[in-house]
Amino acid sequence: MSDALLTLLKWCLLALMYLFFFRVLQATWLGSTTNVAVRRVTKARPGRSKKQARPAAAPSSSMVVLEPSHLAGRQFNIMGETTIGRAAGCQISLDDTYMSQLHARISPTGSGLLIEDLGSTNGTYVNRQKVTAPVIGESGDRVQLGGIVMELR
Amino acid sequence: MRARSVELVLLILATFVTVVGFVTIGLVQAEAGDVNFDLRDDVTGFLLVVVGLLLGAHIMIRLFAPLADAMLFPCAALLNGLGYVMISRLDQGLADSQSAWTFMGVAAFCLVLLVLRDPRRLEPYRYTLAVVGVGLLLLPLVPGLGATINGARIWLRVGPFSIQPGEFAKVVLAAFLAGYLVDKRELLTLTGRRIGPLHVPHARHFGPLLLAWGVALMVMTAERDLGSSLLFFTLFVVMFYVATARAAYVFSGLVLFMAGAVLSWRMFSHVQRRVDIWLDPFADAKGSGFQIAEAAFALADGGLTGTGLGQGTPKKIPYAATDMIFAAFGEELGLLGASALLMTFMFFVAAGFRVATNARSPFEKLLAAGFTALIGFQAFIIIAGILRVLPLTGVTLPFVSYGGSSLISNYIILAVLMRISHNSTEQRAEELDEIERSGHSLNVSARARSDWKAVAR
């Protein structure tokens, strides 16, 4: 058997292995490793006239801190399920006296960010309404967690 | 079905890798006149078997865990395929039994996927699991049943087969640890006393765990299975850390480990010999250091891209098909191929921890983390031993090495991880559905919105 063929096979094997890794990385990057249920919530919103309706902008995917002032302007891009709290183990770990260790969870969905309170002591508020069941927030909505106020972008 | 189509593409790639490896080895061996290799018939047969196995498992996943992570199974398939190719290059006899073991492994995978619909149901049986685990570990010590191979009494002879019950014991004990720690983690973190920076939990809560750990370690020491003792100890520390999130446990684990290491070094001559070989394998390169020295030569010989499959001399390394298989890959596929193996393990571990973070119940989280750590550290311990990062202790390279018990238990771990992954994704989807149905999506009405804006101005 010619050496050329064997060398070719050797390179072919290595190339295929790295192609495998490329596909793994690509799939991980695109977030399609699990069928994360990204479903559009197409419910008509009550009490909203056409005039008020915002142009169909891209669903919100980031949060910007408005208060307190020393954190103001910090932006968090929500790429996947994100926990917010005082604990160092949270993806977004913010030091605020009124925030619980594990305060809330934010997950991206097709129609905006899904906000869930995780049994925090001082509660999570979206536009000053207490979050008792998970809600979907849109761009411009304000979320308050303890003493921290963030705006969805 | 996006995850499943990603999985299918990856499986096809893994099949290609395996078949190219198989063809290379067949060609080289036919050239050397060792075997009759018929390119068309042999490759067709091999291809049919590989495709049949992978496709069968893939269909089972589609049917019974369609929402599971897409990375886990292809990584395992690639490792298993490459391992088989290398084993067939080293020893055709072993390869024949490895193919039988692979069949059984995939069958076990499908069975667990089919039967274990909710891993949380294992949780109440934690103490039963502990007894079963320790029992499995003790089994080889029973006279008449156990057999000593290569100085380690970790085998069971059942007819023509030899089984290593310790491999299954690891899985069972990891499940016990998960169940136990879920139950007691609050007691372990919140009660007890502080001594300096260290938090010492109450003996009442800590005791059973320490006991189980002690028994397992003692058994393994009695059986002279250093690799497994190290692995089990690491698993213990990792799961403890995952459950309590206290770095102090890792620290005290390290201290305990140092103490244990020094003690066993003092007490056992075979441990001393291992350390001596590790520090200087070339002092007795033809005797006790032979294995590590040969592995080092093999790795050096491989260079960047290796000698090519079938064209190196990995048969010189003792136990090349089991413990030392990584060195054989280093020689024949070089640095690129060996790193590819490492990367596959890395992806597997990353996927496993992803499953753990997404898991819905604490028990499943701990179980997934423990199982992932088991595979990851087992790979680390043996690869580090071959590369002389750690003293060499014999454990198998998961999915790659020859060994039936190891392969089957790893496939069981894989199935449980896939099951947890599927269940958590399914539950998440149901939660989102629930939100959609209840119309909570934006009951924060437009009025509240404008109210807020008025206030904000």
Side-chain angles (χ1 to χ4, degrees), chain B residues 59-266:
Chain B
I59 290 171
M60 286 298 282
I61 298 170
R62 271 189 194 259
L63 287 177
F64 296 106
L67 302 176
D69 191 278
M71 302 291 132
L72 289 166
F73 187 65
C75 283
L78 179 67
L79 290 170
N80 194 347
L82 278 172
Y84 175 81
V85 166
M86 185 51 87
I87 293 164
S88 78
R89 178 250 178 283
L90 292 163
D91 186 335
Q92 193 51 47
L94 285 185
D96 292 342
S97 15
Q98 181 77 347
S99 56
W101 291 123
T102 307
F103 264 107
M104 280 188 244
V106 174
F109 172 82
C110 296
L111 196 70
V112 172
L113 219 51
L114 193 67
V115 173
L116 187 71
R117 287 307 176 88
D118 188 359
R120 280 176 299 185
R121 286 185 36 207
L122 292 174
E123 198 181 333
Y125 299 105
R126 49 183 85 90
Y127 294 108
T128 317
L129 288 171
V131 171
V132 171
V134 174
L136 280 171
L137 276 175
L138 281 171
L139 221 49
L141 294 177
V142 177
L145 266 178
T148 306
I149 301 178
N150 306 325
R153 195 178 170 89
I154 50 174
W155 301 85
L156 273 192
R157 280 235 186 273
V158 182
F161 298 108
S162 43
I163 305 171
Q164 244 180 313
E167 293 285 347
F168 299 101
K170 280 178 225 164
V171 180
V172 177
L173 286 171
F176 154 68
L177 277 175
Y180 183 82
L181 287 167
V182 162
D183 197 30
K184 301 279 191 223
R185 67 193 162 137
E186 261 131 29
L187 293 172
L188 287 169
T189 37
L190 299 177
T191 65
R193 285 165 299 166
R194 291 189 73 83
I195 300 175
L198 280 184
H199 175 91
V200 184
H202 243 275
R204 189 158 32 123
H205 309 307
F206 201 58
L209 193 62
L210 222 49
L211 191 76
W213 169 70
V215 168
L217 277 191
M218 253 157 39
V219 168
M220 289 193 227
T221 317
E223 291 168 354
R224 294 192 154 201
D225 188 3
L226 292 177
S228 297
S229 334
L230 181 59
L231 183 62
F232 188 69
F233 185 79
T234 322
L235 176 75
F236 174 85
V237 175
V238 167
M239 291 190 72
F240 227 96
Y241 177 63
V242 173
T244 61
R246 279 178 187 272
Y249 284 120
V250 178
F251 175 74
S252 42
L254 281 175
V255 172
L256 263 175
F257 173 75
M258 300 284 184
V262 171
L263 206 69
S264 55
W265 182 72
R266 286 262 167 101

